[in-house]
Amino acid sequence: MKVEIKNWHAVAQWRWDTGVSEANGMDDDEGDVCGICRVPYEGCCPACKIPGDDCPLIWGECTHVFHMHCLLKWIGTTASKQQCPMDRRTWGQSVPIFSSNTLSSFCSYC
Amino acid sequence: MATDALRAQVAAKWQESFSRLNQNEAGIVGLLNFSQAWNIARECMRPRGLDEPDPQTQYDKATFQASFELLNKCRRLPILLETFLDDMRNHFPVIKQEVDQYTLEYQNTLDTTHILNLVFRLLQWYNKWIPRQELGTTLQSAFVLSFQTHMFSILSPAFVRGFQALCASTLPPTDPDAIAPEPNVKMWEAFETLGLLDRYENIIASVGYEHIEAHVIATCSGQWSESMLPELRKWMTDKVVPWMLLMYGRNATTADDAKAMLQNVGSRFDFHMAKTLCDLRTKEIFDIIIDFPDSSGALQDLKECLLRVDQRAALVHTLRKANHKRLLHPGADTRLILSQYVATIKCLRIVDPPGVLLFKVADPIRRYLRERPDTIRCIVSNLVGDDDGGDSLVDESEPIQPLQQSELEDYTDPNWEPEPVDAGPDFRANKPSDVISTLVSIYDSKDLFVKELQVLLAQRLLAITDDNAEKVEKERRNIEILKIRFGEAALQVCEVMLKDMTDSKRIDGHVQSQKTSIIHPTIISKHFWPMLEATEIVMPGQFRALQEEYAKEFSTFKPDKKLRWLPHLGTVHLELHLEDRTIETDVPPLEAAFIELFSEQDVWSMDDLIAKVGSSVDKAAALKALLTWVDMGILKEEGENTFKLLEVAETSTPREARTVSNAAMELPSAPSVQQQQAEQMRVYWKFIEGMLKNLGSLSIDRIQAMLKLAPGYDQTVEQLGIFMEAARQEDLVDVYDGLWKLTPK
């Protein structure tokens, strides 16, 4: 017997590729949350309504990941002293470690 | 012994009496005259037999009058009257005999003519015996009183029954075609003369009432389409009023006079008619509501009757009882209960605009609906137009408006009105709000509805298989309408879901343009969709290849994202090439996975199949999937839990290959709100496990207290108890003396 697939209507979820999960076997169902607003990465920051490309993440050199809007707001305050809120190292945006190394579309939202 | 004085006194008395009777005539002439006059008078007034000649023939008027004057002068008239009444009493047995005879005949034949004859016979006796007019009213009224007393004393209960039947026979018939009996004026006059009318007034009235009742029930039962009251009133005027006129308006000379006389009794009859109709409609109210809006006439009647008759409590009672008996039981479909509830709302709003009746009737229904698990789902599916052909609860012509909250009364409103008198203490003056608001207000919060709406929307969106933009558009329109009701913010999540649908299509378009694939996924945003049951199926063979390939393309397009498949959702359109036939079908992924495995190997045991696709698939689901193929004649069960591929169709089971299996038509399952709650609880299992590990055994209150520290924990201690019980059944924990501890691994 030969099975030929004519059409497959599948369902999938998208996840942010935070670089850590699958490699470290940490890919649990809960997903990780933004260290500032405590909302999952796949959710959106408190100011946004639509998740995904409209409320992207930002990757720090210190490997901490936040909702971009949350972090920018934090950096915008004087109290932040331009530091990462998690480890108080000076914040620097890193080029994320993607599983695929194409970076073409990354800059579209910076 | 007697003294002289006494003797003299007696003599004087006697002398005085004597001279009065003797009228100072010489000798005893006066006395003789007196006794003659006495005899004439007595003879005149003696109660006679019907065949005896009247006294007038014996004595002329002058003699008679002279005798009476004489008696009067001697002051003997009272004695005469007494004698007369005594005579009458002595003669009454004759009448009694006749009365008994007539009554007996009536009892034997039940023919009212006997009663009628009896009445006329009595009238004859009465006329025979009644003293002459000129003897004055004292005598006459004494006679009438005495005659009636004797007469009523001999009339038996059987006569009363007969009399009732006789009255009834004079009524206009209920059948409009039959000819009304000629009004028997004489009979009514006889009744009047004999005093039967006054004595039996109740009976006559009850005859009238019964007649009205019979007519109302005959003409109005089940006639709900139009208002019956005007017709009934006309019938009253045409038929019943002339009848009443014979009795109550007999002395009337002019029309106005008659009207005044009938006013009182007429309004009593009208009241009775309204009451009968009201009772009838009250009895029928449940069916009237079912028939709504075809029964609006009956509702109008009921409204008018209720204004006249105070039957509101009875109506509420009857309807509540009917609802309890016919509606609020496990056999009734929730949709049916809802639509009946909506009809009840509409009907009672007609009958009683302030809504007191509705409030009283609706309360048990609402309480019952609250207990039903699928009420919300029913309401929501109705809202999104998901009903399979059922009537929509909502009237489409009704304007869509935001949900109304019950608000505090505005006492500054110049049109403010107090609550109706029979409103209970917990009556809330519900502004006539729309039906949806009322339905939603069954529950305390609208969040439940929004959640259910989300689940339902998810099911429907995922069921859209082909690239059907119109269907998504339709859902979007629905959501837009619902936004008006529930508010923008509440439905934000649905908005994201719809956006995911269009985004998926755009992404798919892009990915396909890079590298065509036959897999067209819907990519969803995890936190904005209801929690979908997570069973991990590892798709075998070419399916896995397809998934990986697509995921790679996706990551190329969106380098910061990756795909995580939900392999148990969606549908696969397959074409199976077997040796002798080709079968095309739509199946859920699990089915597709199994048949893919069969293309590698002809015989599989079920356990092996499950092991191949990942052990999270439970046996029931696997069996169902396999049976789908068995139904299509592609697999065959050989021995227990072993299936074999039929490369060549078995002739013994010539089944037609169905192009679409039922299983494929089913909507992808999304757990209901309750399941989701259990799912949420699972999140806290880690906390519980942790605390039990660190602290040994804990009581449930202690666990609850500690969980309260966890973010977002909102379960009650009862819910926690249920969850712990479930955990115990899974052998995760153990309870001893109210203390929970982990089961040692």
Side-chain angles (χ1 to χ4, degrees):
Chain A
M1 181 186 67
K2 190 170 167 286
V3 176
E4 189 186 338
I5 306 170
K6 289 284 193 182
N7 192 347
W8 184 5
H9 168 237
V11 179
Q13 291 170 349
W14 61 264
R15 303 286 290 264
W16 290 111
D17 188 353
T18 46
V20 267
S21 33
E22 256 157 320
N24 301 359
M26 295 259 296
D27 189 25
D28 55 11
D29 265 347
E30 303 315 315
D32 245 335
V33 297
C34 163
I36 296 173
C37 66
R38 310 297 296 168
V39 172
Y41 290 139
E42 282 78 20
C44 49
C45 76
C48 283
K49 283 181 175 165
I50 311 277
D53 293 345
D54 293 337
C55 184
L57 300 186
I58 192 162
W59 283 259
E61 280 168 354
C62 51
T63 71
H64 290 127
V65 185
F66 304 100
H67 288 127
M68 189 177 79
H69 297 148
C70 294
L71 187 92
L72 291 183
K73 201 170 158 198
W74 160 251
I75 294 294
T77 59
T78 43
S80 71
K81 300 176 190 157
Q82 306 295 307
Q83 289 166 343
C84 165
M86 302 292 266
D87 58 10
R88 298 284 164 190
R89 279 158 65 182
T90 309
W91 177 260
Q93 193 181 338
S94 88
V95 174
I97 320 129
F98 290 138
S99 39
S100 68
N101 42 19
T102 346
L103 299 174
S104 55
S105 66
F106 177 64
C107 288
S108 63
Y109 45 69
C110 330
Chain B
M1 294 271 265
T3 59
D4 287 346
L6 184 64
R7 222 174 281 240
Q9 207 178 355
V10 169
K13 275 262 179 209
W14 191 87
Q15 189 60 41
E16 194 244 352
S17 305
F18 172 80
S19 57
R20 199 178 60 222
L21 289 180
N22 204 22
Q23 289 152 46
N24 306 322
E25 300 276 339
I28 55 163
V29 175
L31 209 56
L32 286 176
N33 283 346
F34 170 78
S35 75
Q36 195 187 5
W38 174 265
N39 282 339
I40 292 173
R42 208 184 146 188
E43 177 61 23
C44 264
M45 290 172 51
R46 179 175 63 87
R48 286 149 212 274
L50 288 173
D51 42 357
E52 282 180 69
D54 276 348
Q56 278 92 335
T57 53
Q58 278 178 309
Y59 307 98
D60 58 30
K61 212 171 166 185
T63 340
F64 186 70
Q65 234 157 7
S67 319
F68 259 86
E69 261 162 45
L70 188 68
L71 289 183
N72 195 16
K73 224 183 264 171
C74 303
R75 289 191 240 147
R76 298 320 282 167
L77 273 184
I79 310 292
L80 180 69
L81 179 62
E82 252 170 56
T83 323
F84 166 62
L85 294 181
D86 265 356
D87 281 347
M88 201 164 80
R89 198 180 58 225
N90 294 334
H91 281 80
F92 233 91
V94 185
I95 301 184
K96 182 172 164 40
Q97 215 177 352
E98 283 188 12
V99 167
D100 286 347
Q101 197 187 334
Y102 279 113
T103 316
L104 194 68
E105 264 179 72
Y106 167 72
Q107 271 176 309
N108 289 338
T109 60
L110 290 180
D111 186 357
T112 50
T113 44
H114 294 297
I115 296 292
L116 189 60
N117 291 340
L118 169 60
V119 171
F120 284 135
R121 189 76 178 172
L122 280 169
L123 187 67
Q124 265 180 307
W125 283 108
Y126 177 88
N127 286 334
K128 192 81 185 174
W129 289 4
I130 192 164
R132 295 161 160 229
Q133 201 89 54
E134 55 269 25
L135 296 183
T137 48
T138 327
L139 189 57
Q140 234 175 8
S141 60
F143 163 76
V144 169
L145 186 67
S146 168
F147 186 87
Q148 285 182 358
T149 313
H150 290 305
M151 183 181 73
F152 292 138
S153 74
I154 59 171
L155 290 178
S156 61
F159 169 79
V160 179
R161 281 198 296 278
F163 181 72
Q164 193 169 6
L166 178 63
C167 291
S169 74
T170 63
L171 277 166
T174 18
D175 182 6
D177 298 330
I179 308 145
E182 273 302 302
N184 194 342
V185 183
K186 265 207 177 135
M187 181 186 85
W188 290 107
E189 277 170 7
F191 285 173
E192 162 79 5
T193 321
L194 291 174
L196 292 173
L197 279 189
D198 290 334
R199 179 158 174 101
Y200 294 128
E201 193 178 2
N202 284 342
I203 290 179
I204 298 173
S206 78
V207 166
Y209 290 161
E210 272 168 28
H211 182 59
I212 291 173
E213 270 166 38
H215 179 80
V216 168
I217 287 169
T219 53
C220 303
S221 290
Q223 302 291 316
W224 304 325
S225 53
E226 50 200 284
S227 180
M228 300 300 285
L229 261 186
E231 209 164 300
L232 282 178
R233 290 241 155 87
K234 187 170 169 296
W235 172 80
M236 288 283 279
T237 333
D238 289 352
K239 307 267 172 158
V240 182
V241 169
W243 180 78
M244 291 189 328
L245 213 53
L246 284 174
M247 187 179 7
Y248 297 101
R250 61 210 173 235
N251 298 327
T253 43
T254 63
D256 281 344
D257 223 9
K259 206 172 159 194
M261 286 173 128
L262 284 181
Q263 190 112 59
N264 186 22
V265 64
S267 68
R268 256 193 299 151
F269 274 69
D270 188 60
F271 177 87
H272 195 76
M273 185 192 71
K275 183 171 162 11
T276 312
L277 186 61
C278 192
D279 284 348
L280 180 68
R281 292 290 182 246
T282 303
K283 217 165 63 197
E284 296 172 329
I285 184 74
F286 189 80
D287 296 292
I288 291 179
I289 292 176
I290 290 178
D291 263 23
F292 187 80
D294 294 338
S295 57
S296 49
L299 293 167
Q300 280 302 334
D301 279 352
L302 192 58
K303 181 185 179 183
E304 236 176 277
C305 289
L306 281 179
L307 288 180
R308 187 123 170 64
V309 190
D310 187 26
Q311 298 271 17
R312 292 161 66 92
L315 180 69
V316 169
H317 182 74
T318 315
L319 188 51
R320 280 176 74 140
K321 223 164 115 189
N323 278 338
H324 185 72
K325 195 173 152 209
R326 296 178 59 180
L327 191 65
L328 308 179
H329 56 74
D333 188 22
T334 306
R335 277 233 322 269
L336 196 85
I337 301 181
L338 278 173
S339 61
Q340 179 75 358
Y341 177 42
V342 170
T344 309
I345 294 174
K346 289 177 181 161
C347 288
L348 292 186
R349 247 183 229 161
I350 295 178
V351 175
D352 171 56
V356 179
L357 294 186
L358 176 63
F359 181 76
K360 287 181 179 170
V361 171
D363 198 45
I365 305 180
R366 292 166 68 89
R367 244 182 297 133
Y368 184 83
L369 281 174
R370 216 173 298 159
E371 282 165 18
R372 281 228 166 182
D374 57 341
T375 304
I376 296 188
R377 185 160 283 218
C378 266
I379 297 175
V380 171
S381 66
N382 209 297
L383 280 181
V384 296
D386 196 20
D387 261 341
D388 334 310
D391 291 340
S392 176
L393 293 176
V394 196
D395 190 356
E396 258 118 53
S397 59
E398 247 177 67
I400 301 158
Q401 43 189 324
L403 290 182
Q404 293 158 347
Q405 302 293 327
S406 54
E407 46 200 60
L408 290 173
E409 282 198 80
D410 177 14
Y411 293 107
T412 55
D413 180 6
N415 297 321
W416 179 86
E417 277 182 28
E419 285 175 359
V421 269
D422 54 348
D426 49 353
F427 173 73
R428 278 167 299 163
N430 266 348
K431 298 271 151 36
S433 49
D434 72 328
V435 170
I436 294 299
S437 303
T438 316
L439 289 181
V440 172
S441 71
I442 292 178
Y443 292 88
D444 292 330
S445 91
K446 62 179 183 184
D447 295 354
L448 288 171
F449 285 88
V450 174
K451 265 199 186 130
E452 196 65 47
L453 195 67
Q454 199 188 339
V455 170
L456 211 71
L457 183 69
Q459 281 185 358
R460 290 156 63 88
L461 287 180
L462 292 183
I464 298 175
T465 46
D466 35 1
D467 303 321
N468 206 334
E470 295 121 65
K471 279 193 188 158
V472 179
E473 254 335 285
K474 196 176 144 237
E475 297 299 336
R476 188 182 298 279
R477 259 201 315 279
N478 257 332
I479 293 296
E480 286 301 326
I481 292 172
L482 290 171
K483 264 189 194 168
I484 304 177
R485 292 195 190 280
F486 287 92
E488 188 98 14
L491 294 186
Q492 178 57 38
V493 171
C494 298
E495 191 74 355
V496 174
M497 288 162 74
L498 287 168
K499 187 171 178 293
D500 280 345
M501 291 305 286
T502 39
D503 281 358
S504 303
K505 217 173 144 225
R506 198 166 44 80
I507 292 168
D508 190 49
H510 181 86
V511 172
Q512 299 287 349
S513 71
Q514 297 295 311
K515 188 172 184 191
T516 40
S517 167
I518 43 173
I519 180 168
H520 300 281
T522 300
I523 301 164
I524 64 175
S525 302
K526 182 177 184 223
H527 298 280
F528 294 81
W529 289 65
M531 271 183 263
L532 301 156
E533 277 173 279
T535 36
E536 296 297 319
I537 308 175
V538 182
M539 295 303 276
Q542 49 175 330
F543 289 98
R544 194 172 177 81
L546 277 170
Q547 282 180 339
E548 277 167 5
E549 200 174 295
Y550 195 96
K552 209 170 146 219
E553 270 312 310
F554 176 80
S555 295
T556 316
F557 178 47
K558 300 264 182 195
D560 48 352
K561 288 183 193 162
K562 59 191 179 184
L563 278 188
R564 200 181 143 88
W565 295 97
L566 299 171
H568 57 293
L569 297 174
T571 48
V572 191
H573 186 77
L574 289 178
E575 201 171 69
L576 304 182
H577 300 278
L578 291 125
E579 269 175 28
D580 61 339
R581 61 204 192 278
T582 306
I583 287 171
E584 225 181 305
T585 180
D586 275 317
V587 285
L590 186 60
E591 273 86 333
F594 281 160
I595 206 69
E596 173 73 12
L597 289 171
F598 272 100
S599 70
E600 295 167 11
Q601 182 183 323
D602 277 358
V603 181
W604 286 85
S605 80
M606 195 160 79
D607 292 336
D608 290 346
L609 283 172
I610 290 173
K612 270 279 184 186
V613 296
S615 43
S616 64
V617 178
D618 66 30
K619 280 200 170 174
L623 190 65
K624 183 170 156 275
L626 286 167
L627 287 179
T628 310
W629 293 118
V630 172
D631 274 349
M632 278 190 256
I634 294 166
L635 294 185
K636 190 185 171 201
E637 187 164 8
E638 275 195 340
E640 192 153 345
N641 287 340
T642 310
F643 291 84
K644 180 177 180 284
L645 178 72
L646 296 174
E647 273 292 357
V648 181
E650 277 193 349
T651 44
S652 58
T653 53
R655 279 184 220 258
E656 285 182 23
R658 288 176 290 174
T659 46
V660 178
S661 83
N662 290 338
M665 297 302 287
E666 273 173 32
L667 294 174
S669 55
S672 72
V673 173
Q674 274 119 341
Q675 282 167 299
Q676 286 190 36
Q677 274 170 354
E679 203 59 38
Q680 278 170 5
M681 200 58 213
R682 214 161 271 284
V683 176
Y684 298 102
W685 168 243
K686 285 195 178 136
F687 291 86
I688 299 171
E689 195 181 20
M691 68 179 84
L692 291 179
K693 205 178 264 168
N694 290 331
L695 301 170
S697 49
L698 291 171
S699 74
I700 191 107
D701 291 328
R702 199 65 203 288
I703 299 174
Q704 172 77 358
M706 292 181 84
L707 280 177
K708 281 231 175 94
L709 302 174
Y713 182 78
D714 57 354
Q715 312 285 320
T716 63
V717 69
E718 284 82 19
Q719 281 168 313
L720 175 66
I722 293 167
F723 175 74
M724 292 303 286
E725 187 55 36
R728 192 180 68 83
Q729 274 165 14
E730 285 178 36
D731 260 350
L732 294 168
V733 287
D734 213 351
V735 63
Y736 185 71
D737 265 356
L739 293 177
W740 296 85
K741 62 176 186 200
L742 288 177
T743 316
K745 294 240 163 96

